[in-house]
Amino acid sequence: MDRRRISTFIILLVVLALSGPVSAQDDAGPTSIFFLHHSTGENLIWQGGVREGFTALGYEFWDHGYNEQGLVDPQGNWTGTNWDIPGDDTDVYNWPNLFNQPVTDPPTNAFSQMLQHDVIIFKSCFPNAHIYTDEQLDEYKQVFLEIRDVMDQHPDKLFIALTLPPLVPNETEPHAATRARLWAEYLTSDEYLAGHPNIVVFDFFNLLADEEGFLRAEYRGDEWDSHPNQPANQTIGPIFVEFVDEAIRSFTPGEAPPVDAGGERVGETGETMEGPASIFFLHH
């Protein structure tokens, strides 16, 4: 290859590197991100510069809070519509009610609306971090195995879950805080994620928690309010944007995880994955 061709090739590489996010949806417009949340997620967006961060990277960012607030468009305007999120709830136990809604085209329910976007982000709020017993922790795992089965059926979509934000000491107790950390460790582990390339988890908990599993003192508004304060959101917002951007750039839409002859899903190493096969996202 002569010098002129080499120079042209280098220039092309530079242009591609500077051209912004690459999406499987490029022909249809920018990558569309959707975030389902309640108040903690809303604060992260507004105080942490999340919308501005995604916009600067060339993404189209939508979010939905409580049904009363409804859908917010990429310009940060409330649209006046809501998707009737089941139970108006992002609690862990409510996720199956959302993820098991039938997929319709045109969309007639919240889950079908979520699937209109390329990237689907969802989180539960801090009250869920008061995990009273080991049995409750096991129930949380079963819920997320169930919705993982649903996410597997949409390999062209990137799903991003957030671990739970921690509680202030006055709203929980040490054993519950320890279980909340164990829950975050499980969701971010290979045990949950391996073999599921369209599912990633942002570890919100460990960015906010102290060594005992409580909301860090410098991130508290007061000792009775578990909403992370503005300094917390200003710190974590850019980290969140960078994490999502990297997840999008690393994601290649593909096929659902393989199944064996008995219909059970199989991991990358050939082991049978936990959870039954299935026939077939929110914030505080």
Side-chain angles (χ1 to χ4, degrees):
M1 184 180 294
D2 61 35
R3 291 183 179 179
R4 180 176 299 177
R5 290 185 179 180
I6 292 174
S7 298
T8 301
F9 181 66
I10 292 173
I11 292 172
L12 177 59
L13 289 178
V14 171
V15 169
L16 289 173
L18 297 176
S19 62
V22 178
S23 166
Q25 305 295 324
D26 280 343
D27 291 341
T31 298
S32 178
I33 301 172
F34 173 73
F35 185 16
L36 182 58
H37 61 86
H38 282 180
S39 57
T40 300
E42 181 179 348
N43 292 342
L44 181 66
I45 292 169
W46 291 99
Q47 297 178 355
V50 167
R51 190 181 312 281
E52 294 83 356
F54 284 135
T55 299
L57 290 170
Y59 297 114
E60 185 179 85
F61 178 69
W62 300 76
D63 71 285
H64 193 297
Y66 289 101
N67 284 330
E68 182 179 0
Q69 299 168 305
L71 186 67
V72 183
D73 70 17
Q75 289 71 48
N77 302 312
W78 275 268
T79 63
T81 62
N82 77 74
W83 292 350
D84 191 21
I85 304 299
D88 198 9
D89 193 356
T90 63
D91 287 350
V92 171
Y93 291 123
N94 198 53
W95 289 130
N97 295 329
L98 173 63
F99 279 77
N100 284 315
Q101 290 183 321
V103 177
T104 62
D105 185 16
T108 57
N109 55 54
F111 187 59
S112 297
Q113 292 281 7
M114 289 161 56
L115 291 174
Q116 301 301 302
H117 299 268
D118 307 311
V119 182
I120 299 159
I121 308 173
F122 60 101
K123 66 172 290 296
S124 297
C125 206
F126 54 76
N128 292 266
H130 193 151
I131 304 177
Y132 301 87
T133 64
D134 292 340
E135 290 74 20
Q136 183 181 355
L137 181 59
D138 288 338
E139 290 170 356
Y140 276 16
K141 291 181 180 181
Q142 290 305 311
V143 166
F144 267 72
L145 289 171
E146 180 178 347
I147 67 172
R148 188 181 69 179
D149 288 336
V150 178
M151 292 185 281
D152 283 344
Q153 305 308 309
H154 302 280
D156 58 325
K157 305 296 181 182
L158 176 61
F159 293 87
I160 302 177
L162 274 67
T163 58
L164 295 166
L167 292 157
V168 296
N170 286 330
E171 290 194 325
T172 189
E173 48 87 24
H175 291 299
T178 297
R179 292 189 191 96
R181 169 157 279 140
L182 290 173
W183 174 232
E185 290 175 354
Y186 172 75
L187 278 186
T188 55
S189 71
D190 285 345
E191 181 180 359
Y192 185 70
L193 294 173
H196 305 272
N198 69 324
I199 305 172
V200 296
V201 177
F202 179 72
D203 196 356
F204 201 31
F205 179 90
N206 279 300
L207 288 171
L208 290 166
D210 61 19
E211 292 182 357
E212 297 178 299
F214 302 119
L215 182 64
R216 291 165 56 176
E218 64 269 31
Y219 287 164
R220 301 172 194 166
D222 62 56
E223 295 305 314
W224 293 94
D225 186 358
S226 294
H227 288 88
N229 61 18
Q230 186 166 336
N233 292 317
Q234 289 175 332
T235 299
I236 296 173
I239 299 172
F240 176 61
V241 170
E242 182 179 2
F243 177 91
V244 173
D245 178 47
E246 177 61 29
I248 293 171
R249 291 177 177 275
S250 301
F251 174 59
T252 301
E255 297 183 3
V259 297
D260 65 15
E264 295 186 350
R265 290 175 294 105
V266 178
E268 291 178 329
T269 59
E271 76 278 10
T272 298
M273 306 296 289
E274 296 182 12
S278 174
I279 58 172
F280 321 7
F281 181 155
L282 198 30
H283 63 80
H284 276 226

